[in-house]
């Protein structure tokens, strides 16, 4: 029975170490995903701002160009 208890204890230690490692990896991955979402939010705001600026500039570009000075 002592060998069985020792083997059980060893297996339990291995499982606990594995779970601890997975929890650490999960926390690190969560941090990466959180940072990526923050960057995505910033980029989405920038794209929206640039689209708005382009829409404001578009009417100016559609106006006819004045003739060159030599006409």
């Amino acid at each position: 029975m002592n060998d069985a208890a020792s083997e059980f204890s060893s297996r339990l230690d291995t499982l606990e170490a594995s779970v601890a490692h997975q929890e650490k990896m999960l926390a690190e991955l969560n941090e990466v995903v959180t940072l990526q979402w923050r960057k995505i939010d910033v980029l989405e705001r920038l794209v929206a701002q640039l689209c708005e600026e382009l829409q404001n500039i578009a009417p100016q570009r559609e106006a006819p160009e004045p003739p060159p000075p030599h006409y």
Side-chain angles (χ1 to χ4, degrees), residues 27-52:
E28 290 172 355
L29 288 171
N30 186 46
E31 185 177 335
V32 168
V33 169
T34 302
L35 289 173
Q36 286 177 340
W37 275 113
R38 286 182 189 155
K39 287 181 181 180
I40 288 170
D41 288 340
V42 168
L43 291 172
E44 284 179 337
R45 283 193 297 267
L46 286 172
V47 167
Q49 181 181 359
L50 289 172
C51 286
E52 185 177 330

Side-chain angles (χ1 to χ4, degrees), residues 58-68:
Q60 295 171 1
R61 297 185 86 194
E62 292 175 4
E65 257 186 63

Side-chain angles (χ1 to χ4, degrees), residues 1-31:
M1 274 277 184
N2 196 14
D3 285 341
S6 176
E7 182 182 341
F8 178 75
S9 178
S10 174
R11 290 178 62 195
L12 184 60
D13 289 343
T14 301
L15 287 172
E16 287 176 341
S18 178
V19 168
H21 177 69
Q22 289 177 3
E23 286 177 345
K24 181 182 178 213
M25 291 279 294
L26 187 59
E28 290 172 355
L29 288 171
N30 186 46
E31 185 177 335

Side-chain angles (χ1 to χ4, degrees), residues 66-71:
H70 62 277
Y71 277 116

